[in-house]
């Protein structure tokens, strides 16, 4: 069975500081990995995805993530955050085994950016 | 280009009533997924449907919950005899037929409150 673990439920950070949101996964098959962002009272928006190729993936809004197969991690980073980055961030894994295919989500990390 | 449309955005029901949530996928998408988000939790997969077929309902509660995606019209998530524990945000997502990258496009959610 596959699973996604986001160890930090909340991450407070000052504006213009760097941030890293951690994501670890467990799966017995080859995986696709995603980061989604959810602003208050809205749906989820795709930030970036790793399907194959380069392990460093760049997404929207200046975010990037690095796929590390040996450590089964896919941490999200941004070198300098803005107040507008305050949101909930979800790491997700794509399960494409058998006849079903679905995204499995972590429990989310709330990023709180303050002045 | 309309995205995934969900309605109602907010729904209030008393215990024992029925709740019907509707989802129109993006144009050209024939795969629909329903997820539930409980307060302070991540998204939990409920059901995956294609037109007129339920592909994976492994996340659906055994009783009171049902879903359909008819040939014509939106996908419907139906909750009978609602209880307070059903209060949550229900998100619908869609993907293009044949896509195997796992990327889903989400609606803004339907927030159900059971009094």
């Amino acid at each position: 069975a596959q699973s996604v673990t986001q160890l930090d439920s909340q991450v407070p950070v000052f504006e213009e500081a760097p941030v890293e949101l951690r994501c670890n996964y467990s799966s017995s098959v080859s995986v696709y990995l995603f980061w989604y962002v959810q602003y208050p009272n809205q749906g989820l928006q795709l930030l970036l995805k790793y399907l194959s190729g380069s392990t460093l993936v760049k997404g929207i809004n200046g975010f990037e993530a690095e796929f590390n197969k040996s450590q089964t991690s896919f941490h999200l980073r941004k070198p300098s955050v803005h107040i507008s980055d305050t949101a909930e961030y979800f790491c997700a894994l794509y399960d494409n085994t058998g006849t079903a295919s679905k995204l499995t989500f972590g429990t989310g990390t709330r990023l709180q950016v303050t002045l | 280009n309309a995205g995934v449309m969900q309605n109602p955005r907010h729904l209030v029901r008393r215990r024992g009533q029925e709740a019907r949530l509707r989802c129109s996928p993006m144009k050209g998408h024939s795969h629909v997924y329903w997820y539930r988000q409980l307060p302070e939790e991540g998204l939990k997969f409920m059901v995956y449907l294609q037109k007129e077929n339920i592909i994976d309902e492994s996340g659906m509660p055994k009783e009171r919950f049902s879903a359909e995606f008819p040939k014509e019209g939106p996908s419907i998530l139906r909750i009978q005899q609602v209880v307070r524990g059903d209060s949550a945000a229900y998100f619908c997502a869609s993907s293009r037929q044949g896509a195997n990258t796992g990327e889903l496009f989400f609606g803004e959610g339907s927030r159900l409150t059971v009094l």
Side-chain angles (χ1 to χ4, degrees):
Chain A
Q2 69 290 333
S3 65
V4 178
T5 301
Q6 293 181 248
L7 293 171
D8 306 305
S9 59
Q10 294 189 53
V11 173
V13 64
F14 290 111
E15 191 175 37
E16 297 184 3
V19 70
E20 178 180 84
L21 306 183
R22 295 181 294 170
C23 172
N24 289 87
Y25 69 92
S26 173
S27 178
S28 59
V29 299
S30 177
V31 298
Y32 298 150
L33 291 160
F34 303 80
W35 277 98
Y36 282 82
V37 60
Q38 183 182 30
Y39 298 102
N41 297 316
Q42 294 187 25
L44 277 72
Q45 177 184 1
L46 181 67
L47 266 182
L48 48 78
K49 59 185 176 184
Y50 170 77
L51 305 182
S52 64
S54 172
T55 57
L56 183 62
V57 180
K58 294 191 182 297
I60 62 172
N61 301 340
F63 284 93
E64 64 181 31
E66 185 157 18
F67 171 62
N68 188 319
K69 187 174 182 179
S70 62
Q71 296 187 7
T72 61
S73 68
F74 190 55
H75 300 332
L76 181 70
R77 303 186 185 98
K78 186 170 182 178
S80 176
V81 295
H82 299 285
I83 290 285
S84 60
D85 292 324
T86 295
E88 190 90 19
Y89 292 80
F90 292 95
C91 183
L93 177 153
Y94 182 59
D95 172 13
N96 193 24
T97 57
T99 59
S101 57
K102 58 180 182 274
L103 278 181
T104 298
F105 284 88
T107 52
T109 297
R110 187 180 303 275
L111 177 63
Q112 182 67 51
V113 182
T114 55
L115 294 172
Chain B
N1 244 351
V4 178
M5 304 300 293
Q6 289 189 248
N7 69 84
R9 292 290 311 277
H10 300 275
L11 182 64
V12 179
R13 285 287 179 266
R14 297 189 181 280
R15 282 179 296 171
Q17 292 183 319
E18 178 180 288
R20 283 189 180 226
L21 310 177
R22 288 175 290 279
C23 170
S24 296
M26 284 183 67
K27 186 177 181 180
H29 288 192
S30 60
H31 296 216
V32 166
Y33 305 77
W34 284 94
Y35 283 81
R36 176 163 63 174
Q37 184 178 34
L38 294 167
E40 307 303 320
E41 294 187 19
L43 281 82
K44 300 296 185 184
F45 169 78
M46 298 182 74
V47 62
Y48 162 40
L49 311 102
Q50 295 179 22
K51 285 286 187 180
E52 300 185 279
N53 287 303
I54 296 175
I55 307 302
D56 181 356
E57 57 181 349
S58 59
M60 287 280 271
K62 299 300 180 189
E63 298 177 345
R64 301 186 298 108
F65 285 72
S66 62
E68 63 177 8
F69 189 17
K71 186 177 180 181
E72 301 291 338
S75 175
I76 306 286
L77 179 66
R78 181 184 179 202
I79 312 172
Q80 296 178 289
Q81 300 174 346
V82 296
V83 300
R84 285 191 177 150
D86 296 333
S87 294
Y90 292 84
F91 289 94
C92 171
S94 72
S95 65
R96 187 178 298 278
Q97 181 177 8
N100 62 358
T101 61
E103 180 177 352
L104 303 183
F105 295 83
F106 282 82
E108 295 190 328
S110 292
R111 283 156 180 82
L112 172 65
T113 301
V114 180
L115 301 177

